[in-house]
Amino acid sequence: DSFDPWHVAPELDLIIKYVKRHRKQHALYANSIGAWFSMLCFEHEKFENCLFVSPVLDMKQLILKMMSWSNVTEEQLCREKIIPTSFGQTLTWEYWQYAVKHPILKWNSPTRILYGEHDNMIDYRVVENFSKRFHCTMTVMTHGEHWFHTEQQKNFLGLWISNNFQNRKAPQLEHRKSPLLTFAINNSTIVDSKSRGAVMSSIDLVILGIVLEKPQSAYDIQKDVEYHHFSRWTKISVPSIYRKVLQMSEKGYLQSDIVKGGKFADKAIY
């Protein structure tokens, strides 16, 4: 349940706050449903560049397709509220209502889209119409699928990313005078170009978001992670938090102040 937009949005809000605090320029990479989450949460942001791979652009249309696969009508979903499917997805009335009430009406960032010719989830016309409406550049891979998983597909994806992102030749972009921070949604990574492409894990993102909201000790960060049930939406081990905090401090991502503990031991506040 934690991978619903009303749960994901607060986490993405923490991420964008961190990004904007540390860089003036930032870019976005999003895959599949990560594109939809991004557009819901970042509609008022202006990214330097965006790459969408097999993006979910119209959640209402996608849910309708899944309903048709299972022979489920809107009336039936309204009545039963929750309906499991044979292909692993669970249809819910709450999610359907959210998708209907939150269509994507605004997206102002320059965006390039990679679409697989044989994507069985996302219709070509949806991607084409979105690209025309928001002036996106669209690339279609022959024999590509929704998930780029074969060696040929992964090589094509890597080349496409290299051409469109690392070279930063999108016509809408001006010459950059400061480092660009790129973060990925639904891939659990954040890539900092200033650190020569250093990749940060989802645990790193969680820690940075927590201390951005409120400086606290490693122990308090652990408690915050437990309280918000972060482990439901990403691979994160609560016992590993303390070790990760120390590693991030050594790498310069976190700064700490020692606070006298009085009757207790001194502690570092990050």
Side-chain angles (χ1 to χ4, degrees):
D1 293 341
S2 58
F3 208 53
D4 297 328
W6 47 91
H7 288 108
V8 172
E11 314 310 331
L12 293 186
D13 184 59
L14 290 177
I15 293 174
I16 196 63
K17 284 181 179 178
Y18 168 81
V19 170
K20 294 172 72 172
R21 181 175 177 179
H22 289 79
R23 296 289 187 278
K24 292 182 178 180
Q25 297 173 304
H26 39 279
L28 172 69
Y29 174 98
N31 174 261
S32 191
I33 196 173
W36 186 60
F37 288 152
S38 298
M39 291 185 291
L40 287 174
C41 299
F42 304 144
E43 66 172 342
H44 300 297
E45 301 295 334
K46 182 71 178 212
F47 294 99
E48 294 292 318
N49 194 7
C50 299
L51 294 187
F52 287 174
V53 180
S54 303
V56 175
L57 304 170
D58 186 340
M59 181 57 74
K60 177 184 175 182
Q61 183 272 339
L62 178 57
I63 295 176
L64 282 172
K65 174 178 283 192
M66 291 191 289
M67 288 168 63
S68 68
W69 290 344
S70 298
N71 295 317
V72 173
T73 65
E74 184 177 348
E75 292 74 18
Q76 181 183 356
L77 187 58
C78 178
R79 184 174 61 254
E80 299 185 26
K81 304 304 182 188
I82 300 176
I83 301 178
T85 68
S86 60
F87 48 87
Q89 298 292 332
T90 299
L91 300 170
T92 72
W93 180 246
E94 184 179 21
Y95 211 122
W96 165 255
Q97 287 186 306
Y98 187 97
V100 171
K101 294 177 181 178
H102 295 82
I104 302 303
L105 302 176
K106 179 180 179 182
W107 188 247
N108 295 324
S109 297
T111 302
R112 298 177 184 272
I113 297 173
L114 177 58
Y115 177 79
E117 179 187 22
H118 299 310
D119 192 323
N120 68 328
M121 294 181 62
I122 311 301
D123 290 348
Y124 176 85
R125 62 174 179 81
V126 172
V127 183
E128 183 181 40
N129 290 340
F130 180 92
S131 298
K132 290 179 179 179
R133 181 178 183 184
F134 296 108
H135 310 290
C136 306
T137 300
M138 180 180 175
T139 300
V140 179
M141 179 188 176
T142 304
H143 306 308
E145 302 170 80
H146 185 75
W147 304 113
F148 285 67
H149 63 99
T150 68
E151 200 63 34
Q152 181 185 18
Q153 291 168 357
K154 289 188 290 186
N155 289 338
F156 189 96
L157 173 61
L159 181 61
W160 180 78
I161 292 174
S162 177
N163 289 339
N164 290 304
F165 222 13
Q166 296 176 6
N167 294 336
R168 303 174 195 170
K169 292 182 180 179
Q172 301 94 327
L173 304 184
E174 297 178 354
H175 178 67
R176 290 172 179 75
K177 297 181 180 179
S178 62
L180 178 72
L181 183 64
T182 303
F183 63 101
I185 305 300
N186 208 28
N187 276 13
S188 298
T189 60
I190 183 167
V191 182
D192 185 348
S193 59
K194 187 177 181 181
S195 301
R196 297 181 182 179
V199 177
M200 301 179 70
S201 68
S202 54
I203 302 178
D204 299 330
L205 291 176
V206 168
I207 293 172
L208 289 173
I210 289 175
V211 298
L212 179 62
E213 289 293 299
K214 177 184 176 182
Q216 49 192 301
S217 67
Y219 174 79
D220 293 328
I221 293 173
Q222 281 184 278
K223 292 299 180 183
D224 213 336
V225 168
E226 291 178 329
Y227 176 79
H228 288 95
H229 304 290
F230 285 107
S231 59
R232 291 182 180 177
W233 62 271
T234 188
K235 293 181 180 179
I236 182 169
S237 170
V238 174
S240 69
I241 296 296
Y242 184 75
R243 183 178 69 253
K244 292 294 294 185
V245 169
L246 294 179
Q247 291 175 350
M248 294 176 69
S249 181
E250 292 174 356
K251 293 178 180 179
Y253 287 109
L254 293 176
Q255 293 181 337
S256 63
D257 294 316
I258 302 300
V259 176
K260 296 295 182 180
K263 296 181 180 180
F264 304 98
D266 297 346
K267 61 181 180 180
I269 300 296
Y270 298 91

